[in-house]
Amino acid sequence: MSEQQHSTELLVIGTGVIAASIAYHAAEAGIGVIRLEQERSGETATQTAGAFRTYFPGQVHDSELVARSLADFRAFGSTPGADLGLAQTGMLVVAATAEEAAELEAEVPAQRDAGVELELLTAAQTASRNPWLDPSGIAAGIWCPQMIHLRADEVLRGYAEGARRHGVRTVTGARVTELDAASGHVATTAGEFTAEAVVIAEAQGSGDIAALAGLKLPLRDQFAELFRTDPVGDGGGAVTAPFTFHPAAGLKTMAMGPSFLVGLERFGDDPGLREVWHEEAAGEVARRYPRLRDVALHSAWTGTLEVTPSKSALIGRADGPNERILFATGFSGHELGQAPAAGRIVRDLHLGRHPGTDLTPFSLAHNGA
């Protein structure tokens, strides 16, 4: 690409499904878009699993983003134009104590208002949904049928091709070196750009890009890992068990062929975190799944997530001298399920329209900035 100045209405900086969704939805609305990709993105945890959940206990706002995205995914074949192979299974949430059960139950009306389908379960019903669980560690449960399995690669391809059809120009290998929010000028290793508005939606490194304009985004890198058990299915057959989440422990399990995929939602800055992560995941599995007590865990995916103090994404517009900057970043590994809604929200913010959801939980102020 030449070093001449390139102008556009909206400049989207980002590699991954969030940036792809923003570019597509903005261009579909008639906005001129150039998208800058620093490099091809690696797989996220949700891409590795090929699945995402709709229900986020304790975080109704996150549930709402996914619930708002489901209609987009179901219409994907006729909108961006890609066969996602979408299937819906179910998600089981386990409460270990009566107090935890009461907290989850109290939030059910708000979750339902956000579009989440939930069924309250007794301890016996919970144990019957996942026979691998230790019944003695169950006080109650909640069933959500909106656990989605799809082809993550087709989501990215569909958005990219749909954006191209609507006139989006994508520039790869474009590392941002300067960002002047006052003028909308962005210098990169692939050329110079000027835009009416700039969207920071990088899967990794959004904080560094924002800092070029003097904008502080409360993000930090967090190592994360998914584990896979040795085969445990009878006779090498597939395991039958729903995606199961233990909120108090942060433990997630999902049947994958003859094995379980295991994750642990723990965030910290301790040194040697990988070893700690593995030990705690193994300990939680042993406590809650007696038949897996002596089953080895093997790394299935490792990566770095950008996380925020609230553990929810940052979505919004900066103010003051940085009002040209919009941002959608820090999704903590939940990019895939929240991408359609995030793309529509950023589009609406740029157009000066109400996004149809309260963005307070995703704001800089809510995250201490």
Side-chain angles (χ1 to χ4, degrees):
M1 190 171 186
S2 67
E3 291 301 317
Q4 66 182 15
Q5 188 78 26
H6 300 273
S7 297
T8 186
E9 181 177 349
L10 192 68
L11 185 68
V12 180
I13 303 171
T15 305
V17 69
I18 296 297
S21 173
I22 294 168
Y24 169 76
H25 285 103
E28 184 189 35
I31 300 167
V33 178
I34 294 177
R35 180 181 170 199
L36 304 181
E37 287 189 326
Q38 180 170 306
E39 59 186 13
R40 292 294 176 187
S41 61
E43 283 194 331
T44 65
T46 46
Q47 285 174 278
T48 298
F52 60 84
R53 58 188 167 104
T54 303
Y55 176 32
F56 289 75
Q59 294 175 285
V60 177
H61 50 282
D62 282 320
S63 300
E64 181 185 359
L65 283 194
V66 183
R68 291 183 61 187
S69 295
L70 292 183
D72 284 44
F73 283 124
R74 291 182 175 124
F76 221 82
S78 58
T79 46
D83 180 7
L84 303 183
L86 187 147
Q88 181 171 294
T89 55
M91 171 185 179
L92 181 65
V93 174
V94 180
T97 66
E99 292 76 15
E100 185 183 1
E103 289 180 8
L104 292 172
E105 184 175 350
E107 190 189 63
V108 165
Q111 292 279 0
R112 287 174 173 163
D113 286 346
V116 184
E117 300 171 18
L118 298 175
E119 176 188 353
L120 297 175
L121 304 177
T122 65
Q125 290 171 326
T126 303
S128 69
R129 294 273 182 162
N130 187 342
W132 292 80
L133 291 169
D134 180 358
S136 68
I138 303 172
I142 296 179
W143 176 257
C144 174
Q146 297 158 307
M147 182 72 192
I148 306 300
H149 298 252
L150 48 68
R151 292 186 58 188
D153 58 335
E154 285 297 293
V155 176
L156 280 167
R157 187 189 67 79
Y159 275 145
E161 293 190 1
R164 178 181 51 78
R165 289 196 301 270
H166 287 293
V168 174
R169 184 152 54 99
T170 299
V171 181
T172 59
R175 182 173 60 84
V176 178
T177 56
E178 296 179 26
L179 172 55
D180 181 5
S183 64
H185 174 259
V186 177
T188 80
T189 53
E192 308 279 327
F193 299 85
T194 299
E196 294 179 25
V198 176
V199 182
I200 300 176
E202 189 58 77
Q204 293 290 326
S206 286
D208 293 338
I209 295 170
L212 295 172
L215 173 63
K216 179 176 176 53
L217 296 181
L219 297 165
R220 64 178 176 82
D221 290 339
Q222 169 67 64
F223 171 80
E225 188 162 10
L226 292 179
F227 305 99
R228 190 166 187 162
T229 69
D230 282 336
V232 293
D234 292 337
V239 171
T240 301
F243 176 89
T244 303
F245 182 46
H246 306 260
L251 179 68
K252 303 174 290 184
T253 63
M254 185 175 75
M256 183 170 279
S259 305
F260 277 96
L261 194 66
V262 176
L264 192 65
E265 291 191 350
R266 295 279 179 86
F267 297 89
D269 298 305
D270 300 329
L273 187 60
R274 184 173 188 180
E275 289 73 20
V276 172
W277 203 294
H278 184 276
E279 290 175 7
E280 293 198 3
E284 291 294 348
V285 169
R287 276 189 287 274
R288 299 169 195 280
Y289 295 82
R291 284 189 281 170
L292 302 180
R293 182 169 289 116
D294 298 318
V295 175
L297 299 182
H298 306 280
S299 182
W301 172 88
T302 58
T304 302
L305 308 176
E306 281 198 334
V307 302
T308 67
S310 69
K311 310 303 186 292
S312 295
L314 298 173
I315 308 175
R317 180 190 294 276
D319 56 16
N322 292 313
E323 63 182 359
R324 283 182 186 258
I325 297 179
L326 297 109
F327 46 84
T329 188
F331 285 80
S332 302
H334 301 297
E335 291 88 347
L336 183 60
Q338 297 180 341
R344 291 179 178 274
I345 288 170
V346 173
R347 173 203 64 193
D348 290 344
L349 290 175
H350 174 66
L351 292 173
R353 304 194 306 217
H354 192 282
T357 190
D358 180 12
L359 295 183
T360 301
F362 308 102
S363 67
L364 296 178
H366 187 73
N367 283 277

